[in-house]
Amino acid sequence: MDKVADIASDIGEYIRQQRSSAKISLRQLSKLAGVSNPYLSQIERGVRKPSAEILQQIAKGLRISAEALYVQAGILDLPTGGPVGDAIRADAELTERQKQVLLDVYESFRRENAAASTAPKTTQETTEESA
């Protein structure tokens, strides 16, 4: 039972942080998400654990990915990606949108480097390495 209370508290705190970062009042978010003001307040205080559907509505109101809220709520596992991806996801000073853009850029560089390392080397590259 304590684990459920911890998850509810964690997701509530996360929603509050995202709402604060977006400079949206509780009343504004409740209107955007289509949930009652008292219910949203209970979620933020950790009194209630929202369903996946409610989390999706809140994510839409905050303009963040529903996946981010699902991970925080324990509905989805944290995506893998190593220490760089974990560090980006853990940075509380970045918005979810900023995190996603950074992760996309990082992954594109990794794919590009992986493709380059498997491509056959040209004569010039082989000569440069020898020099």
Side-chain angles (χ1 to χ4, degrees), residues 7-106:
I7 289 171
S9 176
D10 290 347
I11 188 63
E13 181 59 32
Y14 183 77
I15 291 169
R16 180 178 293 141
Q17 287 172 355
Q18 293 301 311
R19 183 176 58 75
S20 262
S21 295
K23 296 182 178 19
I24 300 173
S25 72
L26 186 71
R27 189 172 304 247
Q28 288 170 315
L29 181 56
S30 74
K31 207 177 251 189
L32 290 169
V35 298
S36 75
N37 197 44
Y39 183 61
L40 184 56
S41 175
Q42 290 174 345
I43 292 170
E44 284 194 358
R45 289 181 286 130
V47 175
R48 296 271 186 123
K49 183 174 184 243
S51 67
E53 182 179 322
I54 296 295
L55 287 174
Q56 185 173 19
Q57 290 173 236
I58 292 170
K60 186 177 177 184
L62 288 170
R63 295 184 179 196
I64 63 172
S65 73
E67 181 184 48
L69 289 182
Y70 294 159
V71 168
Q72 287 293 319
I75 295 170
L76 288 178
D77 291 333
L78 186 64
T80 59
V84 174
D86 292 346
I88 292 170
R89 285 185 203 91
D91 192 328
E93 294 187 21
L94 296 175
T95 67
E96 287 303 315
R97 174 86 177 110
Q98 291 167 333
K99 291 175 187 180
Q100 192 56 55
V101 169
L102 282 172
L103 289 167
D104 290 346
V105 169
Y106 176 68

Side-chain angles (χ1 to χ4, degrees), residues 89-131:
R89 285 185 203 91
D91 192 328
E93 294 187 21
L94 296 175
T95 67
E96 287 303 315
R97 174 86 177 110
Q98 291 167 333
K99 291 175 187 180
Q100 192 56 55
V101 169
L102 282 172
L103 289 167
D104 290 346
V105 169
Y106 176 68
E107 286 304 317
S108 73
F109 285 149
R110 288 176 50 88
R111 282 191 301 274
E112 184 179 304
N113 290 344
S117 70
T118 59
K121 292 184 180 177
T122 65
T123 308
Q124 183 180 356
E125 288 173 330
T126 307
T127 306
E128 287 173 358
E129 284 180 3
S130 300

